[in-house]
Amino acid sequence: MHSTKSSLFSESEDGHFMPTNSEPTLNRSLGFWSALSLVVGTVIGSGIFFKQSSVLDSAGSTSNALLAWLLGGLITLTAGLTIAEVGAQMPHTGGLYVYMEEIYGKFWGFLSGWMQVAVYGPAIIASIAAYLGILLVGFFNLSNGWQAPLAIGVIILIGILNMFENRWGAAFQIVTTLGKLLPIAAIIIFGLFYGNQNAFGQTLHTVSQSTGSFGVAVLATLFAYDGWILVANLGGEIKNPQKLLPQAIILGISLVLVAYTLVTYGILHFIPADTIHKLGQQTTVYFANAAFGTIGGRLLNIGIIVSMVGCLNGKIMTFPRIVYAMAERHQLPFSKQLSYLNRKSHEPIVATSVIIVYASIMILFFNPDRLSDLCIFTVYCFYVATFIGVFLLRKRHAGDSRPFSTPGFPITPLIAILGALFVIISEIGSDLPGVLLSLVIVMIGIPVYYYKKRQLS
């Protein structure tokens, strides 16, 4: 095993790192349904409801738009199958941060964790909350000045909920995941049976001002599919994680892939492509009102709001675990405070508070589209490194048994690697300033790492 031991982990007889000195410790109390709801709930948020127009505009035809959603899901599934092998071998709190550290060493593990706590986590929470604020303002007919206060208020309330025992946050996740399936089912059923448009036959001529390319369309769907890996951040709180973590990731991504493809077909079958192009982010709201009338449309919008709240809950539940794991190893400023666990609930309440405050500041100073751009590039850089890590771990532990093996190896991880490289290259080509800003924030972590290392030496 690569030498990456720290104060948080000791090596067990089977070669895995296990927690050693946390007092109190996180509760290992989450079962399969909690884990599955976290995968589905953290993926299905705003993307499927707000990205239909942008995917169609970039794809140039309804057939290509459907193909983009399907291909994005298949790329995500190969990524999930690959990470499942890694996660089953390292079922500890921290997810991607732990994987990078054990595969590549402490420095790269730290940078992957820093990326998530300094850019990816707060930015994606702020982005979804800001979209939710826009939806709430429209739903309650309020002025635009209420968007930010409502967004911040929602994440504060969800943060408070997640300061109680993790079973409460997990129960809320299950409820909201079931709730978000209602608008998805309504869109699919109504679109399939009552639509009269040709979901496959509308071409570039219909979408008269189409921009971008098929690659950009796939990239937009990958943002909507992102978030599935966050359940791994709770690896130390899942019962029998070697078995349940791969099951939850694979089944969860598969369910989302089917749901996204059918939702897209339902919308394209019901609304003409040129109308979708003109509606932009209001496409799903238009669908709700046109299909179900004013009252039915408002009910469907409530379901979409529930979907986004559930997505926020999953992210606010998981990201503080990375802060906690890094602080436990004394890798962050104010590590003593950030690693504090409430003695009654065993929850990282200080880490949760910091993530909420950081995300709230982002809501005030960035628009949601910009925030989503910031988070995607950085996380995919570390995704591709972890996918490559599957090959390194197999070579390092040749002949050892594994709790889970990636089906279709080596083709499956190779597809995941190519998909991640596609995202990275596309982001560089389409948003170089955003890429550079993300890299600068990540590189700020380098002096922090060496400063904390010097303190511990």
Side-chain angles (χ1 to χ4, degrees):
M1 180 66 64
H2 198 281
S3 179
T4 57
K5 285 178 273 192
S6 69
S7 61
L8 181 62
F9 289 123
S10 63
E11 197 167 7
S12 64
E13 292 181 0
D14 63 0
H16 293 134
F17 289 121
M18 301 300 292
T20 57
N21 66 343
S22 299
E23 183 57 43
T25 58
L26 293 164
N27 291 327
R28 194 179 286 278
S29 57
L30 303 179
F32 171 75
W33 293 109
S34 295
L36 179 63
S37 69
L38 276 165
V39 175
V40 176
T42 51
V43 174
I44 300 177
S46 59
I48 186 59
F49 303 117
F50 286 93
K51 291 286 186 181
Q52 292 293 337
S53 177
S54 61
V55 172
L56 177 60
D57 285 354
S58 295
S61 72
T62 54
S63 298
N64 283 344
L66 277 166
L67 183 60
W69 283 101
L70 180 60
L71 185 58
L74 292 174
I75 291 172
T76 303
L77 183 58
T78 61
L81 289 167
T82 305
I83 289 293
E85 179 173 324
V86 179
Q89 297 176 68
M90 310 173 202
H92 314 304
T93 299
L96 185 64
Y97 161 60
V98 173
Y99 306 158
M100 287 291 295
E101 179 173 302
E102 191 162 343
I103 295 169
Y104 297 105
K106 286 186 177 180
F107 175 77
W108 291 107
F110 171 85
L111 276 189
S112 71
W114 176 266
M115 172 273 300
Q116 292 181 83
V117 302
V119 185
Y120 178 60
I124 203 165
I125 289 171
S127 176
I128 295 169
Y131 281 127
L132 179 59
I134 294 171
L135 196 59
L136 289 173
V137 163
F139 186 82
F140 291 107
N141 295 315
L142 301 173
S143 67
N144 289 336
W146 281 97
Q147 288 179 9
L150 285 172
I152 292 171
V154 169
I155 62 175
I156 289 174
L157 289 175
I158 295 173
I160 292 172
L161 173 66
N162 280 283
M163 292 180 188
F164 296 99
E165 291 184 25
N166 60 13
R167 62 190 177 93
W168 292 105
F172 184 67
Q173 190 64 39
I174 292 173
V175 171
T176 54
T177 298
L178 292 174
K180 73 178 55 185
L181 295 179
L182 296 177
I184 287 174
I187 292 171
I188 292 171
I189 293 170
F190 199 93
L192 287 177
F193 292 102
Y194 295 96
N196 57 10
Q197 304 298 316
N198 188 346
F200 293 103
Q202 300 178 65
T203 65
L204 183 64
H205 299 293
T206 307
V207 188
S208 58
Q209 298 177 12
S210 177
T211 58
S213 65
F214 181 74
V216 175
V218 176
L219 185 64
T221 70
L222 288 173
F223 169 76
Y225 280 107
D226 194 45
W228 54 271
I229 198 174
L230 298 183
V231 69
N233 293 344
L234 287 88
E237 300 169 69
I238 296 174
K239 303 172 185 176
N240 191 12
Q242 289 92 343
K243 177 182 178 182
L244 296 188
L245 189 61
Q247 288 179 351
I249 289 175
I250 295 165
L251 181 57
I253 294 174
S254 299
L255 290 173
V256 172
L257 189 162
V258 172
Y260 277 14
T261 305
L262 290 176
V263 164
T264 302
Y265 181 86
I267 290 174
L268 294 176
H269 192 51
F270 186 78
I271 306 175
D274 56 344
T275 303
I276 293 173
H277 170 72
K278 293 174 184 177
L279 289 168
Q281 293 182 349
Q282 298 299 314
T283 297
T284 306
V285 175
Y286 172 87
F287 180 100
N289 292 325
F292 303 105
T294 303
I295 296 176
R298 289 183 71 82
L299 290 174
L300 188 60
N301 283 330
I302 290 173
I304 296 172
I305 290 170
V306 169
S307 170
M308 296 173 72
V309 169
C311 185
L312 278 172
N313 180 70
K315 287 171 169 54
I316 292 173
M317 188 177 182
T318 54
F319 279 117
R321 268 64 180 178
I322 305 170
V323 179
Y324 166 79
M326 296 182 73
E328 266 288 308
R329 305 181 193 190
H330 308 286
Q331 291 184 320
L332 295 174
F334 307 104
S335 286
K336 181 178 179 180
Q337 291 79 14
L338 292 171
S339 62
Y340 173 76
L341 291 179
N342 181 275
R343 291 193 170 271
K344 184 175 181 180
S345 66
H346 291 225
E347 291 298 300
I349 60 175
V350 177
T352 301
S353 300
V354 169
I355 290 291
I356 290 171
V357 170
Y358 191 9
S360 299
I361 293 171
M362 285 187 166
I363 289 171
L364 294 173
F365 292 99
F366 294 92
N367 67 57
D369 290 328
R370 191 64 174 155
L371 289 168
S372 64
D373 291 340
L374 278 176
C375 64
I376 288 297
F377 173 80
T378 49
V379 76
Y380 267 86
C381 289
F382 290 93
Y383 278 173
V384 71
T386 310
F387 300 154
I388 294 171
V390 171
F391 294 92
L392 299 178
L393 287 173
R394 288 206 178 196
K395 182 178 180 181
R396 193 178 298 166
H397 305 293
D400 294 350
S401 61
R402 291 178 295 275
F404 176 83
S405 296
T406 300
F409 184 91
I411 302 300
T412 300
L414 285 174
I415 294 173
I417 291 169
L418 291 174
L421 288 174
F422 163 73
V423 173
I424 293 169
I425 294 169
S426 298
E427 278 293 304
I428 293 172
S430 62
D431 184 26
L432 185 58
V435 165
L436 293 176
L437 177 59
S438 301
L439 290 176
V440 167
I441 297 174
V442 172
M443 283 191 268
I444 290 172
I446 296 175
V448 174
Y449 171 80
Y450 285 107
Y451 171 74
K452 295 300 295 184
K453 184 179 180 181
R454 209 163 39 242
Q455 276 191 331
L456 294 174
S457 60

